[in-house]
């Protein structure tokens, strides 16, 4: 037994060293087909010693990174860390709203545990009420003491009680400290209905609608920071052609006004048009049409953002499991998620043609992993678990957004609670924070920080036929001048030794947090909620260099300390 173990250990070391080179594979082949076991082992030891001396393992593993603090890039807009909450499954009802009579601790019906958790993320904005739901939403159903009970035909055909409406949403935003991103109904609604909603929300004048708002408990006008004009109008939002949508966009942009006195000069409401849902010609033609019209727009209409929806799904319908998968599915999903970079580059190039000054932001207001529903759950509720893979996926996407920060100035992960790639999962009175939540938490310092270029040779992680960059990283300087680095080790099997060369800083050490877990599909559950949680990490700088050991499949954020 002991001999077997020793041999297995030996073979493991032999494998690890030899797999690094083609020469190594040749030796391995000879060793496997040569004379007796003992002779082979002795011969191998000799060869291994020689190989190890010539090419130490650590050196082969090392990634050299250089960060030049003097080279600042675009601002990483805090709105890149936005959320999306649709009336879908348990996203709003149970996830946010439990009602004032619930046993679950709440303030005015909004659960307090969720508020505390979201506050810690410094959520910049929340997109609401959808999604496909938005294009069938009639705001009057959700105000006043008597709520109209309707249906939610998009998401399971269940009852929509409308107990969570405009005031409850604005109250929730107030409690977590976020801004409103309202998506108005362009599909089954009218410009008149949307215009009245905005007047109801924002006017300070004593109009009939303002008096109704006051009677419903809010005399002061609300602030609406962002207005989404339709949702996926090319599909669930009404299957419109680009030309048909453009005529709607012009009308809604003109007549759906924000009257809040504080939003007239500064802090004007930004209007976001429906943009593409992929990279095929259908979508590039859509971007072309909208941006071409924007280029020659008159005083009567405007837009400040073009949305982009892109889920990591590999193929429709979503079939990848959200838990209980292996390395093959890990590698496949991450390969698929990295396509976000090309997608952004493709649409940015079209936008550059018509808007070289980058006045219009690309707003990735629906993104994230979309997997098969949890077995036994309602298929229309889009309930899925959230694993370490999702943490890596989130970090890679946030890095992509930051790398395109000059054009991508807003993004909203789908969705905030209990739906798709959620921050939080709830089960009645219980609540857990997901691995994705913790990535958002450790990335907080990047909100409104200034992008700093970081150069490195990422190396390659390979599984079967899939090859991915082994390391991904971004750097940024916060308002206080502190330098932050976010580094992801994609490789689930190998540690990464990172040597960071620091130009333009006298940093003596670095400290931060690292997120990893035993397996690629490790999750937090209601019974075991702390399997995937960040842990502290630190390192000392020597001779202008800082060396970090990163765990396999990990996301790390560190700050440099003087
Ligand atoms: O996020 C779920 C759905 O995905 C949204 O309602 C829709 O906009 C998209 O297709």
């Amino acid at each position: 037994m002991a001999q077997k173990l020793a041999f297995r250990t030996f073979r493991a070391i032999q494998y690890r060293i030899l797999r690094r080179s083609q020469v190594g594979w040749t030796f391995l082949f000879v060793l496997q087909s040569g004379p007796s076991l003992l002779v082979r082992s002795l011969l191998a030891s000799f060869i291994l010693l020689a190989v190890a001396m010539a090419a130490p393992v650590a050196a082969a593993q090392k990634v050299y990174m250089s960060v030049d603090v003097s080279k600042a890039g675009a601002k990483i807009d805090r709105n890149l860390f936005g959320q999306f909450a649709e009336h879908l499954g348990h996203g709003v009802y149970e996830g946010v709203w439990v009602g004032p009579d619930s046993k679950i601790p709440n303030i005015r019906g909004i659960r307090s545990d969720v508020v505390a958790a979201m506050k810690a993320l410094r959520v910049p904005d929340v997109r609401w009420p959808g999604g496909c739901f938005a294009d069938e939403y009639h705001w009057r159903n959700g105000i006043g003491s008597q709520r109209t009970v309707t249906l939610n035909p998009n998401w399971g055909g269940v009852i929509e009680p409308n107990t969570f409406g405009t005031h409850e949403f604005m109250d929730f935003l107030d409690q977590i400290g976020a801004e409103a991103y309202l998506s108005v109904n362009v599909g089954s609604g009218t410009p008149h209905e949307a215009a009245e909603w905005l007047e109801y929300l924002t006017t300070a004048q004593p109009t009939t609608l303002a008096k109704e708002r006051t009677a419903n408990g809010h005399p002061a006008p609300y602030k609406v920071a962002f207005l989404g004009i339709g949702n996926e109008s090319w599909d669930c939002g009404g299957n419109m052609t680009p030309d048909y949508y453009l005529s709607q966009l012009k009308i809604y942009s003109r007549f759906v006004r924000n009257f809040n006195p504080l939003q007239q000069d500064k802090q004007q409401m930004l209007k976001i048009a429906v943009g593409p849902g992929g990279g095929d010609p259908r979508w590039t033609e859509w971007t072309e049409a909208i941006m071409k019209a924007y280029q020659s727009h008159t005083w009567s209409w405007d837009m400040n953002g073009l949305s982009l929806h892109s889920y990591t799904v590999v193929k429709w319908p979503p079939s990848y499991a959200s838990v209980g998968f292996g390395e093959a599915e890990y590698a496949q999903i991450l390969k698929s998620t990295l396509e976000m970079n090309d997608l952004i580059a493709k649409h940015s190039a079209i936008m550059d043609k018509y808007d070289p000054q980058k006045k219009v932001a690309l707003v990735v207001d629906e993104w994230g992993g979309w997997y098969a529903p949890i077995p036994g759950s309602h298929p229309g509720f889009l309930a899925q678990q959230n694993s370490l893979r999702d943490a890596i996926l989130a970090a890679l996407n946030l890095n992509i957004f930051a790398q395109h920060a000059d054009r991508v100035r807003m993004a909203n992960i789908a969705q905030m609670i209990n739906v798709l790639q959620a921050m939080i999962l709830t089960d009645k009175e219980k609540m857990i924070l997901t691995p994705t939540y913790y990535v958002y938490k450790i990335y907080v310092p990047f909100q409104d920080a200034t992008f700093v270029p970081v150069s490195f040779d990422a190396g390659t992680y390979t599984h079967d036929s899939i090859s991915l960059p082994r390391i991904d990283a971004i750097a940024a300087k916060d308002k206080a001048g502190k330098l932050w680095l976010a580094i992801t080790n994609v490789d689930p099997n190998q540690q990464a030794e990172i040597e960071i060369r620091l130009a333009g800083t006298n940093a003596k050490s670095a400290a931060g947090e690292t997120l990893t877990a035993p397996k690629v599909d490790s999750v937090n559950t209601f019974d075991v909620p702390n399997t995937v949680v960040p842990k502290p990490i630190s390192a000392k700088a020597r001779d202008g260099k800082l060396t970090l050991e990163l765990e396999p499949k990990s996301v790390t954020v560190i700050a440099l300390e003087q």
Side-chain angles (χ1 to χ4, degrees):
M1 184 64 182
Q3 204 186 359
K4 227 182 191 177
L5 264 178
F7 184 64
R8 260 201 232 144
T9 313
F10 161 74
R11 289 301 297 264
I13 299 165
Q14 171 196 41
Y15 176 77
R16 252 188 260 151
I17 297 177
L18 292 181
R19 74 196 284 253
R20 297 194 192 294
S21 69
Q22 198 54 49
V23 184
W25 283 116
T26 315
F27 283 141
L28 199 59
F29 174 76
V30 172
L31 288 169
Q32 278 162 351
S33 52
S36 79
L37 186 65
L38 185 67
V39 176
R40 276 195 274 155
S41 296
L42 284 173
L43 186 60
S45 304
F46 175 73
I47 294 165
L48 287 178
L49 199 64
V51 171
M53 282 168 71
V57 176
Q61 286 289 297
K62 216 171 199 170
V63 174
Y64 297 96
M65 240 172 225
S66 57
V67 186
D68 187 348
V69 184
S70 62
K71 291 192 185 120
K75 182 176 93 169
I76 301 172
D77 199 307
R78 62 190 296 258
N79 287 301
L80 290 177
F81 301 86
Q83 297 288 332
F84 171 36
E86 181 166 13
H87 286 232
L88 194 178
H90 298 303
V92 169
Y93 297 108
E94 293 187 32
V96 176
W97 179 255
V98 288
D101 302 330
S102 171
K103 284 194 301 240
I104 300 170
N106 68 84
I107 294 178
R108 293 181 294 279
I110 294 162
R111 55 189 298 171
S112 302
D113 52 355
V114 163
V115 167
M118 295 315 286
K119 263 171 107 168
L121 292 191
R122 296 204 358 219
V123 177
D125 67 273
V126 182
R127 181 172 179 251
W128 177 84
C132 298
F133 181 84
D135 273 304
E136 291 188 68
Y137 184 62
H138 299 288
W139 67 274
R140 282 207 154 275
N141 293 336
I143 58 162
S145 53
Q146 296 300 314
R147 304 291 167 99
T148 308
V149 176
T150 56
L151 292 172
N152 189 339
N154 279 293
W155 305 116
V158 295
I159 289 283
E160 166 56 58
N162 282 304
T163 42
F164 189 88
T166 302
H167 290 263
E168 292 75 21
F169 174 60
M170 298 309 267
D171 189 10
F172 173 60
L173 293 186
D174 208 34
Q175 292 190 35
I176 65 170
E179 297 205 284
Y181 176 8
L182 287 187
S183 197
V184 293
N185 182 344
V186 173
S188 67
T190 62
H192 181 239
E193 183 188 8
E196 286 204 330
W197 194 14
L198 266 286
E199 184 192 319
Y200 176 87
L201 279 156
T202 61
T203 187
Q205 309 254 44
T207 66
T208 304
L209 283 167
K211 285 179 186 164
E212 194 179 356
R213 186 189 68 225
T214 303
N216 287 332
H218 208 274
Y222 286 112
K223 182 181 177 201
V224 178
F226 306 99
L227 186 82
I229 302 182
N231 170 74
E232 299 192 353
S233 302
W234 29 261
D235 210 346
C236 74
N239 201 232
M240 300 170 190
T241 62
D243 281 350
Y244 185 86
Y245 174 71
L246 261 173
S247 61
Q248 300 298 303
L249 173 65
K250 291 173 185 175
I251 293 168
Y252 277 75
S253 168
R254 167 99 181 92
F255 298 115
V256 185
R257 295 182 170 101
N258 185 317
F259 297 102
N260 189 323
L262 300 176
Q263 292 192 263
Q264 298 313 303
D265 301 323
K266 292 177 186 166
Q267 303 190 57
Q268 284 189 13
M269 178 176 77
L270 302 182
K271 297 171 188 175
I272 296 156
V274 169
D280 296 345
R282 179 186 174 201
W283 307 119
T284 51
E285 283 160 21
W286 183 283
T287 301
E288 281 273 351
I290 311 290
M291 291 306 296
K292 194 167 177 203
Y294 167 80
Q295 189 184 36
S296 55
H297 79 99
T298 63
W299 66 269
S300 65
W301 74 279
D302 199 2
M303 57 186 257
N304 312 95
L306 181 75
S307 85
L308 167 68
H309 287 187
S310 177
Y311 287 97
T312 301
V313 62
V314 182
K315 62 179 168 40
W316 296 96
S319 56
Y320 276 65
S322 57
V323 66
F325 56 84
E327 192 174 342
E329 293 83 358
Y330 170 82
Q332 182 59 62
I333 286 288
L334 295 186
K335 175 174 183 254
S336 177
T337 215
L338 288 171
E339 289 166 15
M340 179 67 88
N341 188 52
D342 289 351
L343 195 58
I344 289 175
K346 196 181 236 181
H347 291 287
S348 295
I350 300 171
M351 294 175 85
D352 286 349
K353 258 199 313 185
Y354 300 105
D355 171 32
Q357 291 176 302
K358 301 186 195 292
K359 288 186 179 159
V360 178
L362 188 59
V363 175
V364 191
D365 54 10
E366 282 189 34
W367 69 275
W370 189 327
Y371 312 123
I374 291 176
S377 68
H378 190 310
F381 284 10
L382 312 186
Q384 60 189 45
Q385 243 298 3
N386 195 292
S387 67
L388 179 65
R389 179 180 65 186
D390 292 299
I392 309 263
L393 185 157
L396 294 177
N397 279 281
L398 292 173
N399 293 356
I400 291 170
F401 301 153
Q403 280 150 357
H404 292 274
D406 56 345
R407 178 66 80 179
V408 182
R409 300 194 283 272
M410 188 163 175
N412 301 75
I413 191 167
Q415 299 193 5
M416 189 168 65
I417 302 167
N418 292 331
V419 176
L420 300 177
Q421 189 173 343
M423 306 291 118
I424 288 176
L425 301 178
T426 64
D427 180 14
K428 300 183 189 69
E429 76 291 351
K430 293 185 202 154
M431 178 193 87
I432 49 171
L433 306 175
T434 66
T436 302
Y437 174 93
Y438 287 116
V439 169
Y440 271 67
K441 180 96 190 311
I442 61 180
Y443 267 66
V444 163
F446 287 90
Q447 293 193 14
D448 279 348
T450 304
F451 186 84
V452 173
V454 36
S455 53
F456 56 98
D457 179 354
T460 309
Y461 152 63
T462 302
H463 182 78
D464 292 340
S465 59
I466 296 177
S467 290
L468 305 171
R470 190 160 70 96
I471 300 295
D472 193 43
I474 57 164
K477 212 171 5 169
D478 70 16
K479 282 186 189 138
K482 196 179 245 193
L483 186 74
W484 293 85
L485 271 154
I487 312 174
T488 296
N489 180 8
V490 172
D491 194 323
N493 306 310
Q494 309 269 350
Q495 281 200 331
E497 191 181 344
I498 313 281
E499 187 179 296
I500 306 161
R501 289 159 194 194
L502 306 158
T505 159
N506 294 324
K508 306 261 180 324
S509 61
E513 289 182 286
T514 189
L515 184 70
T516 189
K519 297 189 294 161
V520 287
D521 71 334
S522 290
V523 295
N524 294 333
T525 65
F526 294 104
D527 296 332
V528 188
N530 294 324
T531 305
V532 196
V533 289
K535 294 180 186 71
I537 184 170
S538 60
K540 292 249 174 289
R542 221 173 274 147
D543 308 328
K545 288 183 218 150
L546 198 109
T547 305
L548 279 172
E549 294 282 345
L550 301 184
E551 290 298 308
K553 49 179 166 30
S554 62
V555 181
T556 303
V557 170
I558 50 160
L560 300 189
E561 309 284 349
Q562 298 290 331

